[in-house]
Amino acid sequence: MKDQSCKPCAEGRYSLGTGIRFDEWDELPHGFASLSANLEVDDSISESTENCTSSKWVPRGDYIASNTDECTATLMYAVNLKQSGTVNFEYYYPDSSIIFEFFVQNDQCQPSADDSRWMKTTEKGWEFHSVELNRGNNVLYWRTTAFSVWSKVSKPVLVRNIAITGVAYTSECFPCKPGTYAAKQGSPFCKLCPANYYSNKGETSCHPCDADKYSEKGSSTCKVRPACTDKDYFYTHTACDAQGETQLMYKWAMPKICGEDLEGAVKLPASGVKTRCPPCNPGFFKTDNSTCEPCPYGSYSNGSDCTHCPAGTEPAVGFEYKWWNTLPSNMETTVLSGINFEYKGLTGWEVAGDHIYTAVGASDNDFMILTLVVPGFRPPQSVVADTENKEVARITFVFETICSVNCELYFMVGMNSRTNTPVETWKGTKGKQSYTYTIEENATVSFTWAFQRTTLHETGRKYTNDVAKIYSINVTNVMGGVASYCRPCALEASDLGSSCTSCPAGHYINRDSGTCHLCPSNTILKAHQPYGAQACVPCGPGTKNNKIHSLCYNDCTFSRNTPSRIFNYNFSALAGTVSLAGVPSFTSKGLKYFHHFTLSLCGNQGKKMAVCTDNVTDLRIPDGEAGFSKSVTAYVCQVVIIPSEVMGYKAGVSSQPVSLADRLVGVSTDMTLNGIVSPVELFHPETSGIPDIVFFFRSNDVTQSCSSGRSTTIRLRCNPMKAAPGTLRLPSMCSDGTCDGCNFHFLWESVAACPLCSASDYHTFVSSCVAGIQRTTHMWREPKLCSGGISLPEQRVTICKTIDFWLKVGISAGTCTAILLTVLTCYFWKKNQKLEYKYSKLVMNATLKDCDLPAADSCAIMEGEDVEDDFIFTSKKSLFGKIKSFTSKQAAPVTISLSEDS
C-alpha cells in the first residue's frame, strides 16, 4: 500500500488479486449466512417454522452440503464489487428430486437473468459454474428445496471452492490451508498434497509420511497403517490363455493402506492356481487363442461354436451375459468416493467366473459402479407399428446382496447420455432374485448398478464382506447384438429362394408354413413371441382389439343383459381426460402437497391420453419444450403437486409421476376380474338399482412393494343429478386413492354412466275424447335412470267421436235392426204357412189313394194356384180374423169330399 504497486505472494501463500476464495468448510466462513424457511404461505401449522430451523446448509470440511427435506434452505453471501467480476464454484447435484437454484440480486434487489438460475443435475462428479457480476453490491443466493414427500431421502447438493473476483484489491496474501502447498511465488491457488504426503498451514512443499503411516490426497496429517486383514484384498481371474485356462489372482485393494509386516497381519494368498475357463457367453464362440468373439449375424451359439440359423428362422439378437471371465467390452466399472464425490481410477466390480461382484473400495461409503451401454435397439416390426405398447426391449438381471449394515444397491437408467434416473433401490440383504425393466424408447441407453456398503460419513474398511453379486444380464433386441437362438420368421419368396420378412401388424407366424395369419377379432398379438395361433390372446370382457391387434380397449360402449331387457351404454361423454386432486397433505415439516390424478377412460382407439410430468428440474424450460422433462403417459397416472401459491413460482411443482394403468383388463359389473378387486365397501352403495360398471386396469411397473404391478379400478355409477362428465371421487377411508399403495380405486358418478333410454323407460297415457279430439302422451318413468338413446315420442293427437254421437248411432242401428227382424219374421212365417198348406194336401191325396175313392169334382184350388192365398192375405181383416178365416177355408174341402163319397 505504501508505493501503490502489486507484488507477488511469497511461497506457501496465495491470492486471487482482485478476488476471494472459500475452500475451507470446517465452519461457515465469515460473511456467509444460512437461512431456512417453510414454503407454506399459510402458517396454520404453528410448528412448521420450528421444524425447519435445523434445515440449513451444513459445512463438511471440503464442501458445504444442502438440506434434504422439504424446507427451503438458503446460503447467501453479500459482496461489494469495485469493478465487474465473476463468481465461480463447483457443485455436485445428483438428485433431481431437489430444486437447486443459484441467483444474484443487485442494489435494487432485482434478481439476475431468470433462465440461468436453475441448476442442471450433474452427469459425472463435480461440475463448474460461473456467473458474471456487475459493479456494486451483489447478494449471492444458493437455494434448495427437496420434494421427496414419500419415504425416499434425497441426496444433498454439495458446493465447494467458491471464488469471487472484482472485489477491492487485496492488500494481503492468504496462507495455504493444511494439506495444500504453494511452491512458487505469486501463486493464485494452492495445490493438493499427493497420497502418503501431508502439509501444515502455509507450506511450500509436502512432507512424506513415515513408512508405518499413510495419508490420502490433500491430507494434513498421516494415519498409522493398520495390520492387513482379509478385508484388504480381493480375487479376480485372468483372461483365458491359449490352453483355455484362467488363473485365480489375489490383489491388494487400492489404495493400499495396511501393513503386511505388522503383527497379526495376513499375507496375500498365493496366486496362479489355474482352472478351466468358463464357456463363452451365448452368441459368442471361442477362438484358437481361447478368446471369445461374437458370432456373425445370421448365426447363433450357446457359447461354443456358431451355427447358421435354419431356413425359416432368424437370429434373436441381444446380449446375454452369464459367464464372467473378463468384463465385456461394452461394460465399464469405476468407484465414486462417498466422501468428496470424485471418481477414482479404481475397479469397482470384479469378475468371478459365474458372477461379478463388488470389489473393495477405498472406503465403505464409496459407490461401486458398473455401467452397461447399449447403442440402440432393433425391435420386431410388429412392435414398431404399435404406438401405445411402447416396449422396445427389456433387460433382466439376476442379483444378490449380502449385507451386515445399511447397504444399498441402485439400478439406474440413462437415455442418450442424459442423467441416470434411479429406477429401483434394494436395501439390506436380498436373496438371489431376478428383476426386469422395460425399455420404452429406442435410444442409446446406459444401465448402471451402484453399490454402497454404508451411508455413514466415516472412512475405513470395516464391511468389505458386504457385497453385491450379479449372476446374469440379458438385454433383448439389441442393435448389433448376438443371438443365442433363432426364432421362426415369415418367409418371402425371391429369386434367390425364400428369405425372412416381417409379418404385418396383428399377424402371427405359422411355424410349419412360415406364412402370416391375421389374429381373430377381439384378440391381441404377443408382439415379442408371434408364433402360432396361441400367440393371439383373447381380450377381456367389454373390450375389443385395435386395428393392429396390439391392445384391447373399450370403445365407450357396453351392454348388460337381464332376463327382462338389454341395457346398452354409451360413455362417449367420458372419453376425454379428467383430473382429480386428493385432499391436501402435509409433510413432517409442514409442506403442503397433494396427489393429482389424470384419467382417460375409453375410446381414442385405445390411445393413452393421461400425461403426468415431472417438472422439478425443468422449471427453467420455456413453454413448448416440455419434451425434455420426464413424463408418464398412461390411462391413469399420478403425480405429486406442490401448489404454485406455496412455491412462489410461476407454476406449481409436479414431481414423481407414476403410471397406474397401462392396459385395460376388462369392463364388467362384477367387482372382481383377473385378480383385481374393487371392494364394495370402499364407496357408499348405489341406491338406483342399476349396478355399477367397473373398468379394470393394470400397470406394467413392478416394484418391490407391488410384485404384481399396480392396478386401478374406475367404478362408473349412474347418477342423473350429475351432468356429464360428472364427478370423480376417491375412497373416503383412503384419501390418496389407495389403501395399500398398489391398488387404486375411483368412483365416477355421471348421467353419462346411465344406460341408453329405450321404450321401457317411459309411460304412455291416452286421454279421453274431448270435443272430438283424443291425445296420446308419453312421460319418462321417475326417477329417470337413462341417458341418450331414443328420444321421448312427441304427443299424438287423433280425431275421435263423442258418446252422444255413438248413442245416436246405436239407437238408429237398433231401430233398423228391429224393423229388419220384424220383416224377416213375417216373411218366414208366410213361407211356413205355404209349406203347411202343401203338406196337408199331400196328406189328403195320400188318404184318397188308400181308400180307392173316385176323384170328385172340387172347386178347391189346384196345385200351383195361389188365388185363395192371395185373397186371404190381401183382405182387410185383422190378423186374428185372417187366421180364423184361413182355418175355416182349410177345413171346408175335406167336409165336401166326404159328403160326396158317402
Side-chain angles (χ1 to χ4, degrees):
M1 294 296 290
K2 289 180 181 179
D3 54 7
Q4 294 291 300
S5 63
C6 295
K7 296 185 178 179
C9 292
E11 296 90 344
R13 306 174 75 85
Y14 76 97
S15 130
L16 295 179
T18 61
I20 50 177
R21 173 181 282 133
F22 302 97
D23 53 10
E24 294 185 55
W25 298 94
D26 295 316
E27 60 182 5
L28 203 62
H30 178 71
F32 277 86
S34 180
L35 308 176
S36 61
N38 192 294
L39 285 174
E40 176 58 75
V41 176
D42 181 9
D43 294 330
S44 57
I45 303 182
S46 59
E47 68 272 14
S48 62
T49 305
E50 298 176 6
N51 286 337
C52 285
T53 53
S54 60
S55 298
K56 298 181 179 181
W57 288 75
V58 181
R60 289 184 178 171
D62 292 333
Y63 54 81
I64 185 168
S66 74
N67 65 323
T68 56
D69 54 25
E70 59 275 14
C71 299
T72 296
T74 304
L75 179 68
M76 57 185 295
Y77 182 77
V79 63
N80 183 278
L81 299 189
K82 301 302 181 183
Q83 62 183 29
S84 297
T86 60
V87 55
N88 307 319
F89 61 90
E90 293 180 81
Y91 71 99
Y92 179 69
Y93 178 20
D95 198 332
S96 62
S97 63
I98 290 183
I99 284 186
F100 177 33
E101 51 184 329
F102 171 74
F103 59 96
V104 182
Q105 287 188 346
N106 56 20
D107 286 334
Q108 290 77 36
C109 294
Q110 296 297 318
S112 59
D114 197 46
D115 57 348
S116 63
R117 67 189 292 173
W118 309 105
M119 306 301 292
K120 296 182 179 180
T121 52
T122 52
E123 301 293 337
K124 289 187 176 181
W126 294 84
E127 291 194 6
F128 183 79
H129 188 68
S130 178
V131 175
E132 293 185 358
L133 301 177
N134 296 323
R135 181 179 177 182
N137 290 323
N138 292 268
V139 184
L140 315 180
Y141 293 89
W142 293 264
R143 188 163 72 179
T144 55
T145 305
F147 293 102
S148 289
V149 295
W150 292 344
S151 59
K152 178 190 171 190
V153 177
S154 303
K155 290 182 171 56
V157 175
L158 310 181
V159 174
R160 71 180 182 185
N161 295 338
I162 300 175
I164 304 171
T165 62
V167 298
Y169 297 101
T170 183
S171 58
E172 61 177 332
C173 296
F174 302 96
C176 292
K177 70 175 184 177
T180 64
Y181 70 100
K184 297 179 181 180
Q185 289 185 348
S187 296
F189 61 90
C190 300
K191 298 180 180 179
L192 294 175
C193 289
N196 296 323
Y197 284 79
Y198 74 98
S199 72
N200 297 313
K201 189 173 184 178
E203 293 277 8
T204 60
S205 63
C206 298
H207 310 290
C209 294
D210 296 336
D212 60 342
K213 294 182 179 180
Y214 76 98
S215 70
E216 297 178 354
K217 186 178 179 180
S219 296
S220 59
T221 59
C222 295
K223 301 176 182 178
V224 176
R225 290 185 183 273
C228 290
T229 67
D230 57 0
K231 295 180 173 59
D232 292 305
Y233 64 83
F234 63 93
Y235 66 92
T236 185
H237 290 80
T238 62
C240 291
D241 57 20
Q243 287 73 38
E245 294 181 330
T246 179
Q247 287 186 339
L248 181 66
M249 301 293 292
Y250 290 92
K251 296 181 179 180
W252 291 113
M254 301 302 293
K256 183 185 177 186
I257 61 175
C258 66
E260 300 179 60
D261 302 326
L262 299 177
E263 184 180 354
V266 300
K267 298 294 184 181
L268 191 67
S271 299
V273 177
K274 290 190 174 184
T275 58
R276 292 295 300 172
C277 281
C280 292
N281 281 307
F284 290 80
F285 70 96
K286 190 161 289 188
T287 63
D288 294 338
N289 57 0
S290 296
T291 60
C292 293
E293 295 291 336
C295 289
Y297 184 79
S299 59
Y300 70 99
S301 85
N302 59 0
S304 54
D305 296 326
C306 298
T307 306
H308 284 285
C309 289
T313 64
E314 61 180 356
V317 293
F319 284 129
E320 183 178 358
Y321 301 123
K322 62 180 182 179
W323 298 108
W324 304 93
N325 184 56
T326 58
L327 198 65
S329 59
N330 58 350
M331 299 182 75
E332 60 181 20
T333 177
T334 186
V335 177
L336 175 67
S337 171
I339 300 173
N340 58 17
F341 296 95
E342 291 183 342
Y343 284 90
K344 303 177 179 179
L346 302 176
T347 299
W349 294 68
E350 288 288 347
V351 295
D354 63 345
H355 67 275
I356 184 171
Y357 73 102
T358 50
V360 178
S363 179
D364 284 337
N365 57 7
D366 287 348
F367 292 91
M368 319 306 288
I369 295 175
L370 177 69
T371 302
L372 165 65
V373 179
V374 176
F377 301 93
R378 182 181 292 168
Q381 184 65 32
S382 56
V383 177
V384 176
D386 184 5
T387 58
E388 290 305 310
N389 291 335
K390 298 180 180 179
E391 180 179 331
V392 173
R394 59 177 56 189
I395 179 172
T396 302
F397 59 92
V398 179
F399 71 98
E400 177 185 22
T401 58
I402 303 172
C403 302
S404 58
V405 286
N406 56 338
C407 72
E408 292 185 353
L409 174 65
Y410 302 89
F411 175 61
M412 298 173 284
V413 178
M415 295 283 184
N416 292 331
S417 300
R418 280 155 55 189
T419 307
N420 284 334
T421 302
V423 173
E424 189 61 271
T425 304
W426 295 271
K427 296 183 180 181
T429 299
K430 298 293 180 183
K432 193 174 181 180
Q433 57 187 275
S434 172
Y435 178 79
T436 299
Y437 175 77
T438 301
I439 299 103
E440 297 183 347
E441 181 180 350
N442 196 348
T444 299
V445 181
S446 63
F447 304 102
T448 301
W449 295 263
F451 180 72
Q452 187 180 30
R453 290 180 169 87
T454 177
T455 57
L456 301 176
H457 288 275
E458 57 183 42
T459 60
R461 298 173 181 150
K462 298 179 182 178
Y463 311 111
T464 56
N465 290 334
D466 294 3
V467 295
K469 298 180 181 180
I470 295 178
Y471 293 91
S472 65
I473 301 175
N474 187 7
V475 190
T476 64
N477 301 333
V478 176
M479 185 184 302
V482 294
S484 60
Y485 68 96
C486 295
R487 60 192 175 199
C489 67
L491 296 178
E492 181 181 46
S494 64
D495 296 338
L496 301 177
S498 59
S499 60
C500 279
T501 185
S502 298
C503 282
H507 289 66
Y508 67 89
I509 301 172
N510 185 302
R511 288 181 180 271
D512 299 327
S513 62
T515 55
C516 299
H517 299 273
L518 180 66
C519 277
S521 59
N522 293 329
T523 62
I524 58 173
L525 180 68
K526 292 180 180 177
H528 292 273
Q529 291 182 332
Y531 313 119
Q534 64 271 16
C536 301
V537 182
C539 288
T543 64
K544 57 192 291 187
N545 63 276
N546 61 351
K547 292 181 180 178
I548 60 174
H549 291 266
S550 63
L551 56 83
C552 299
Y553 76 102
N554 178 270
D555 59 358
C556 294
T557 61
F558 184 73
S559 295
R560 178 172 62 89
N561 296 329
T562 65
S564 58
R565 61 176 284 195
I566 298 176
F567 291 89
N568 295 313
Y569 296 80
N570 189 327
F571 307 128
S572 298
L574 311 179
T577 57
V578 293
S579 297
L580 170 67
V583 297
S585 302
F586 296 88
T587 66
S588 59
K589 304 293 185 181
L591 177 66
K592 176 183 177 181
Y593 72 93
F594 55 86
H595 291 100
H596 186 269
F597 302 92
T598 305
L599 298 84
S600 60
L601 184 72
C602 59
N604 306 302
Q605 279 290 312
K607 183 176 177 61
K608 299 170 183 172
M609 305 296 290
V611 179
C612 295
T613 304
D614 182 349
N615 69 352
V616 169
T617 56
D618 296 290
L619 294 175
R620 63 185 183 277
I621 295 178
D623 293 339
E625 298 183 24
F628 292 102
S629 59
K630 179 185 176 184
S631 63
V632 169
T633 303
Y635 295 116
V636 183
C637 62
Q638 171 192 298
V639 72
V640 176
I641 296 289
I642 292 92
S644 57
E645 68 270 14
V646 173
M647 286 299 303
Y649 298 138
K650 295 179 181 178
V653 173
S654 63
S655 67
Q656 302 167 11
V658 176
S659 170
L660 305 181
D662 292 311
R663 52 191 170 91
L664 177 61
V665 177
V667 184
S668 174
T669 54
D670 297 331
M671 294 295 119
T672 303
L673 182 65
N674 285 8
I676 306 175
V677 181
S678 177
V680 178
E681 65 275 5
L682 284 183
F683 301 100
H684 62 276
E686 57 85 19
T687 57
S688 63
I690 296 180
D692 297 338
I693 297 172
V694 186
F695 281 66
F696 295 87
F697 296 91
R698 194 175 287 282
S699 76
N700 296 329
D701 295 335
V702 177
T703 62
Q704 296 180 69
S705 56
C706 305
S707 57
S708 300
R710 299 180 181 92
S711 69
T712 298
T713 65
I714 303 177
R715 195 182 301 184
L716 299 186
R717 178 169 295 176
C718 173
N719 189 335
M721 306 303 293
K722 305 285 187 181
T727 58
L728 276 168
R729 188 177 301 172
L730 297 171
S732 57
M733 63 184 71
C734 309
S735 57
D736 289 335
T738 177
C739 299
D740 56 7
C742 296
N743 302 296
F744 292 77
H745 308 281
F746 302 89
L747 175 64
W748 195 339
E749 294 182 285
S750 173
V751 65
C754 297
L756 296 175
C757 295
S758 66
S760 303
D761 294 304
Y762 61 79
H763 296 284
T764 301
F765 300 94
V766 180
S767 69
S768 58
C769 188
V770 179
I773 295 176
Q774 188 176 50
R775 302 176 189 275
T776 303
T777 306
H778 307 276
M779 293 185 64
W780 293 114
R781 299 179 185 272
E782 292 296 336
K784 182 185 176 184
L785 298 175
C786 65
S787 171
I790 65 172
S791 302
L792 194 66
E794 297 182 357
Q795 186 184 62
R796 191 172 71 251
V797 178
T798 56
I799 298 175
C800 62
K801 305 300 182 180
T802 61
I803 295 178
D804 294 341
F805 172 81
W806 289 114
L807 184 61
K808 293 177 181 178
V809 171
I811 293 174
S812 302
T815 304
C816 293
T817 303
I819 295 172
L820 180 62
L821 289 175
T822 303
V823 172
L824 290 174
T825 301
C826 294
Y827 171 77
F828 285 114
W829 181 77
K830 177 182 177 183
K831 201 77 175 174
N832 186 54
Q833 294 304 313
K834 287 182 180 181
L835 292 175
E836 287 183 357
Y837 175 74
K838 291 178 180 180
Y839 178 74
S840 63
K841 286 186 69 177
L842 289 174
V843 170
M844 290 175 62
N845 290 336
T847 305
L848 289 175
K849 284 182 180 181
D850 292 339
C851 300
D852 295 324
L853 292 178
D857 294 333
S858 173
C859 58
I861 299 174
M862 301 302 293
E863 183 178 358
E865 296 179 1
D866 293 330
V867 178
E868 186 84 340
D869 291 341
D870 293 337
F871 173 75
I872 294 174
F873 291 104
T874 55
S875 61
K876 297 183 178 181
K877 294 182 180 180
S878 65
L879 183 61
F880 180 77
K882 289 180 179 180
I883 295 172
K884 184 177 179 182
S885 174
F886 179 78
T887 307
S888 60
K889 287 182 178 291
Q890 190 176 21
V894 177
T895 307
I896 292 173
S897 298
L898 291 174
S899 61
E900 287 181 352
D901 290 340
S902 60

